[in-house]
Amino acid sequence: MALSPRQKQNYWRYSQYALLALIAIVLVIVADWGTLRDKVFNPDIIAHQFPGVITVALKNTLIYTALGFVVGLSLGVLLALMKISSIAPYRWISTLYIELFRGLPALLVFIAFGYGIPLAFGLRLNNYVTVMLALGMVSAAYIGEVLRAGLEAVPKGQYEAARSLGMGHSRAMMTVIIPQAFRIVLPPLTNEIILLTKDSSLVYLLGMSVAQYELTKFGREGISASGAGLTPLVVAGACYLIITVPLGLLARHFEKRAGARSRK
Amino acid sequence: MTSHSAPASVTIKDLHKSYGEVEVLKGIDINVSPGEVVCLIGPSGSGKSTLLRCVNLLETPNSGLIEVAGHSVTDPDVNIDKMRTNVGMVFQQFNLFSHLTVLENCTVAQIKVLKRSKAEAQKIALENLEKVGLADKAGRHPDQLSGGQQQRVAIARALSMDPQLMLFDEPTSALDPETVGDVLSIMRQLAAEGMTMIVVTHEMAFARDVADRVVFMDGGVVVEEGPAHEVIGNPQHQRTQLFLSRVLNPTAQ
C-alpha cells in the first residue's frame, strides 16, 4: 500500500528521532562512568576549585576581556572611520593594520608583545598593559571590520538628511551615522566579545603570578596540583560558559529586535 | 507661524553638471522670486532631481552659478553648513533618523547646529508637528509611522530650522495613494504662507493648482517654462505635449 506524502514525512521524521535516541543509548552504555566520575566530574575536586575559580580566575578573565575590549572598541572605531575616510593614506594604514592583525594568530601577537617589545625597546611592560594592548590590538582588527560594514550599511539618505540640516561631516557621523551603525553591528559585536573572552586565555604566555591567573591557566594549574584528571578544566570550562552563554543570548535578542524593525 | 525668516530668492545661471562623460545638466537658467512656488516636471533622467540637489550642494555642479537669497552657493569658499540651515530639504524616501523619536528628529539639528536650548527646540518642533498634524506622535519612532506620516514629520523637521527656502524631491512618489493627499495639503498650506518652494513632482494636479510656475525639463535642459496653468493646460513644445499626455492619460494609446 502506498504511503501518502504526509505519512512518508512522518516516517522519515520518526526514524531520525529513533537514530538520535540510539546514539545516545550507545554512548551511555559504552562510557566508563566510574572513570568519568573520578577523573572528569570528581565532586571533591570540583569543591576544591571554589572559591578561587570565581574570586581569582573568573574575575581575572573578566578583567582581561574588559581591558581588551576597551582598546579593541576604541581602536576599532578609529580603524573603521579611517577605512571609509576620503584621505587615502588613512585607508591604506587601516587596511594594512586589519590585514596584519586579522591574519596573525593571536598567540603570535601575545608572544610579540610579551617578549618582542621588551627585547626591542628594553622596557618591561606591566602585565595588564601588555594584555590590554595584545588583546585589544587583535580584536580591534575584527571590530574595525565589523564596524566598517555597519557604517556602510546605514542608508546614504541618512547622511544626506543630516548634511541638509546643516550638520558638518563629523557632526553627521557622530550624531546620526555612528549610533545607527552600532545598532546594526550589535549582534556581530557581541560575537567579538565572546571571541575576546576566549582569547584572554592566551594571557598565560606572559607568565602570570598566581593572583593574575585567568580561567584556563587556573584550570591547568588545578590539574597539576590535584593530579587527578580533567575536573579542574571542566570547572573552568563551565565558568567560560557562564560568561559566553548570556552574551550569546544577548546577541540573539539584538538580532530579533533588529529583525522586527527591518520587517516593518 | 513657522517661517520667521523672510523667504529667499533663488538664482540659477548656466548650470552644468556631469557624471564622468554623461552630462546631466546642460546649462540651466532659472530664477525663483521670494515666496514663489516652482514645480520641476519632466521624464525620469531629465535632470530635475539633480538640479534640485545642486541647490543645496548635495551634488556639486561642474560650472555655473547658484544664489540663494543673494548669497552664492557655488562659491568654493562658501560655508555650506551655514547655508544649508536656511534651506529645508524633503526627500523621496523621507530619510528620518531611524534611531531617534519623531520629536528628536525635529530637535536634533536645532540643538546641535543652531545651538538652541532643548526647551526652545522642543517648543518649535512641537509647533511644527502640530502644523503637520502629528504632535500626538512625538514620542514614536519613525518605523512606527506610515509613509505619509513619516513624510509629514520630515517636513516638520525641515521647518523646525526656520528655512527661507524649501526643496522637495518627489515627496509623494514613495507614498501609498491614500496618504499622498495629506502631504500635498501641507505643502499647499506652506505655499499659501509664502514659503519659497522648489518641488520636483509627478503630481500634475498639485503643480497646476499650487505652483506659480512650472518648469519642464528633458535631457538636461529646460524645454519650456511658464505659469502653471499654461504649461500644463496648453503646452507649446512638442516634448512637453508628449510628456503631459502620457502622464495625464497613462492608458491612452
Side-chain angles (χ1 to χ4, degrees):
Chain A
M1 191 186 70
L3 295 171
S4 75
R6 187 184 61 83
Q7 285 169 321
K8 267 188 215 162
Q9 204 181 1
N10 281 342
Y11 267 110
W12 181 230
R13 176 176 309 176
Y14 292 135
S15 51
Q16 290 184 63
Y17 283 138
L19 181 65
L20 291 174
L22 188 69
I23 291 171
I25 291 165
V26 168
L27 284 178
V28 167
I29 293 170
V30 170
D32 180 348
W33 288 104
T35 312
L36 271 181
R37 188 188 170 285
D38 273 357
K39 302 284 185 191
V40 183
F41 301 108
N42 190 320
D44 297 334
I45 298 179
I46 290 177
H48 191 67
Q49 298 301 306
F50 288 91
V53 71
I54 303 291
T55 55
V56 176
L58 183 69
K59 188 192 80 182
N60 280 331
T61 290
L62 285 172
I63 290 174
Y64 299 148
T65 305
L67 288 175
F69 187 64
V70 168
V71 173
L73 187 64
S74 324
L75 193 55
V77 169
L78 191 67
L79 286 168
L81 289 174
M82 282 169 75
K83 192 142 190 190
I84 60 167
S85 165
S86 55
I87 299 168
Y90 284 167
R91 293 199 301 271
W92 303 334
I93 294 169
S94 173
T95 305
L96 187 73
Y97 181 99
I98 289 171
E99 293 305 329
L100 185 68
F101 281 91
R102 201 172 51 170
L104 292 175
L107 186 83
L108 288 190
V109 177
F110 263 90
I111 293 173
F113 273 90
Y115 302 98
I117 287 187
L119 278 179
F121 303 104
L123 86 167
R124 177 93 179 92
L125 292 174
N126 173 304
N127 264 346
Y128 285 102
V129 175
T130 312
V131 170
M132 201 161 152
L133 287 178
L135 273 182
M137 290 183 74
V138 172
S139 68
Y142 293 94
I143 291 175
E145 271 299 270
V146 164
L147 288 176
R148 179 201 48 83
L151 288 171
E152 287 177 350
V154 176
K156 198 164 172 282
Q158 296 283 316
Y159 180 74
E160 290 186 346
R163 295 303 304 268
S164 295
L165 288 163
M167 295 186 198
H169 171 76
S170 311
R171 166 62 65 199
M173 294 300 287
M174 294 298 295
T175 310
V176 175
I177 306 301
I178 292 177
Q180 291 191 40
F182 261 105
R183 279 163 194 241
I184 295 171
V185 302
L186 268 179
L189 200 58
T190 320
N191 279 339
E192 291 304 327
I193 304 177
I194 292 175
L195 291 175
L196 195 59
T197 310
K198 296 187 295 176
D199 275 351
S200 70
S201 65
L202 294 170
V203 169
Y204 82 88
L205 287 165
L206 302 174
M208 292 295 193
S209 68
V210 176
Q212 292 173 326
Y213 284 177
E214 42 64 57
L215 283 169
T216 303
K217 179 71 174 166
F218 189 91
R220 285 161 42 132
E221 290 298 311
I223 292 177
S224 332
S226 66
L230 300 172
T231 306
L233 270 192
V234 171
V235 176
C239 288
Y240 276 111
L241 295 180
I242 291 174
I243 305 172
T244 56
V245 169
L247 283 173
L249 291 175
L250 199 65
R252 264 239 299 272
H253 168 76
F254 289 141
E255 253 167 66
K256 246 190 225 162
R257 212 179 55 177
R261 275 184 174 263
S262 65
R263 265 197 302 279
K264 283 190 181 165
Chain B
M1 169 199 79
T2 26
S3 189
H4 305 296
S5 15
S9 61
V10 181
T11 308
I12 300 171
K13 274 189 195 142
D14 196 27
L15 196 74
H16 290 263
K17 170 71 184 173
S18 305
Y19 294 109
E21 294 293 297
V22 187
E23 194 171 27
V24 190
L25 298 177
K26 302 171 182 169
I28 304 284
D29 294 278
I30 294 175
N31 289 302
V32 183
S33 315
E36 195 177 18
V37 177
V38 173
C39 280
L40 300 178
I41 63 170
S44 53
S46 60
K48 53 197 193 304
S49 280
T50 306
L51 173 62
L52 191 79
R53 289 162 60 86
C54 281
V55 174
N56 72 348
L57 239 54
L58 283 181
E59 304 287 346
T60 314
N62 296 79
S63 68
L65 176 94
I66 301 174
E67 283 181 1
V68 174
H71 301 292
S72 171
V73 174
T74 37
D75 178 350
D77 293 320
V78 68
N79 182 345
I80 188 62
D81 295 331
K82 188 162 190 310
M83 190 283 291
R84 282 182 180 139
T85 61
N86 296 321
V87 181
M89 177 95 181
V90 175
F91 298 87
Q92 183 178 351
Q93 298 296 337
F94 332 132
N95 295 347
L96 291 181
F97 303 135
S98 57
H99 63 305
L100 301 178
T101 63
V102 164
L103 186 65
E104 287 164 345
N105 263 278
C106 298
T107 58
V108 61
Q110 292 190 68
I111 296 168
K112 305 270 186 195
V113 179
L114 299 181
K115 307 293 177 198
R116 287 176 181 159
S117 71
K118 193 177 172 191
E120 186 190 6
Q122 287 185 342
K123 181 174 160 283
I124 292 169
L126 281 170
E127 278 172 15
N128 285 297
L129 285 171
E130 188 72 44
K131 181 171 182 166
V132 301
L134 290 171
D136 58 322
K137 301 273 194 276
R140 300 286 183 88
H141 274 86
D143 59 12
Q144 297 170 307
L145 304 182
S146 71
Q149 290 172 330
Q150 288 189 51
Q151 192 61 299
R152 283 147 69 194
V153 172
I155 294 173
R157 175 174 72 175
L159 291 177
S160 295
M161 302 294 283
D162 291 334
Q164 300 173 281
L165 164 68
M166 286 286 287
L167 308 174
F168 294 85
D169 189 3
E170 301 199 28
T172 57
S173 296
L175 297 181
D176 291 332
E178 73 265 29
T179 63
V180 168
D182 296 336
V183 172
L184 290 181
S185 69
I186 289 163
M187 292 169 63
R188 183 187 292 260
Q189 184 194 342
L190 209 55
E193 287 171 12
M195 176 68 78
T196 310
M197 294 165 61
I198 305 179
V199 185
V200 172
T201 188
H202 293 293
E203 298 289 337
M204 290 308 138
F206 176 83
R208 188 183 55 220
D209 298 345
V210 180
D212 298 300
R213 206 143 46 90
V214 166
V215 175
F216 173 73
M217 287 177 66
D218 193 10
V221 296
V222 172
V223 175
E224 186 169 348
E225 67 172 305
H229 59 94
E230 278 181 25
V231 175
I232 292 174
N234 183 22
Q236 299 303 305
H237 203 285
Q238 199 191 348
R239 277 195 278 176
T240 320
Q241 291 165 358
L242 186 65
F243 171 75
L244 284 170
S245 72
R246 280 183 180 162
V247 172
L248 298 173
N249 294 305
T251 52
Q253 284 300 308

